[in-house]
Amino acid sequence: MASLRRPRPRPRLLTAAALVLGASLALSACSSSGGGTQDSGAAKVSKKASTSQYRGTVLSKNFEKPDLVLDDTSGQPYDLRARTAGKTVLLFFGYTSCPDVCPTTMGDIGVAMAKLTPEQREKLAVVFVSTDPERDTPQVLRTWLDSMGKDFVGMTGDLAKVKAAAKPLGILVEDPVVDAKGAVTSTHGAQVLAFLPGDDKAHLLYMAGTSVDVYRHDLELMANGVAV
């Protein structure tokens, strides 16, 4: 996949041709040097006819939760499937030095989570998987996540495993690129997938730019066990 170089690194939208989603999904290239705003190109995602109460995109194909084991923010192995069994999981791939879509997305989810009751939050897990594990050490990841949600799970480790876990979900993750000035650019999917505990499959998708209100509305429904 070719990408256009710009004088200043900035976020961009790429398209992954009809992967398992059967649709175009937005990708964001984030640079640690900052200075950009997210491209506003629209992504078209297939939706099944639904009278769902949810405001997120209802997926026409439901994906298995990745069989992924990486280090968590304490440096211990974290088995995504085993450790999140019985909970709704919001899964996002990104990296801590991203200046825009990653902190914005995770921050908005954090604000939405804070509006729920402790009992509701207990039923949800927000998981951030690093696409730049060389720089995102467990300690770096924990410090970054704590500013959004102290209960958020961070996973970091073998990038090959990360890419393999993301691909079946229609999420492209590319190797980070470091320029001559040391700025890191990581191209990764900008969407959040929600896996429901009934079958541990993804049923809902949220694109970059999803509002706090939409997250709050849908997270409350998830916590209360409302069917899609």
Side-chain angles (χ1 to χ4, degrees), residues 180-221:
K181 296 181 179 180
V184 181
T185 300
S186 175
T187 300
H188 58 84
Q191 62 270 34
V192 175
L193 288 172
F195 296 80
L196 302 186
D199 57 7
D200 261 357
K201 293 183 179 180
H203 288 261
L204 295 156
L205 178 145
Y206 302 88
M207 302 305 296
T210 297
S211 70
V212 170
D213 286 343
V214 168
Y215 278 124
R216 184 210 58 76
H217 175 273
D218 283 11
L219 288 172
E220 186 172 357
L221 293 180

Side-chain angles (χ1 to χ4, degrees), residues 70-92:
L70 297 171
D71 288 344
D72 64 15
T73 55
S74 67
Q76 299 301 310
Y78 188 93
D79 185 323
L80 179 62
R81 285 186 177 177
R83 296 287 293 275
T84 62
K87 292 189 176 185
T88 291
V89 177
L90 266 63
L91 182 65
F92 183 74

Side-chain angles (χ1 to χ4, degrees), residues 54 117 119-120 123-124 218-227:
Y54 287 88
T117 67
E119 292 75 21
Q120 289 172 327
K123 298 176 181 179
L124 308 171
D218 283 11
L219 288 172
E220 186 172 357
L221 293 180
M222 293 174 197
N224 292 338
V226 177

Side-chain angles (χ1 to χ4, degrees), residues 57-75:
T57 298
V58 178
L59 295 173
S60 57
K61 177 179 175 61
N62 306 128
F63 308 108
E64 297 281 352
K65 186 186 297 180
D67 184 9
L68 181 63
V69 180
L70 297 171
D71 288 344
D72 64 15
T73 55
S74 67

Side-chain angles (χ1 to χ4, degrees), residues 2 6 29 35 39 49 58 115 125 141 152 157 163 170 184 191 201-202:
R6 297 181 174 89
D39 199 337
V58 178
K115 296 178 181 295
L141 195 52
F152 286 3
K163 294 166 72 173
V184 181
Q191 62 270 34
K201 293 183 179 180

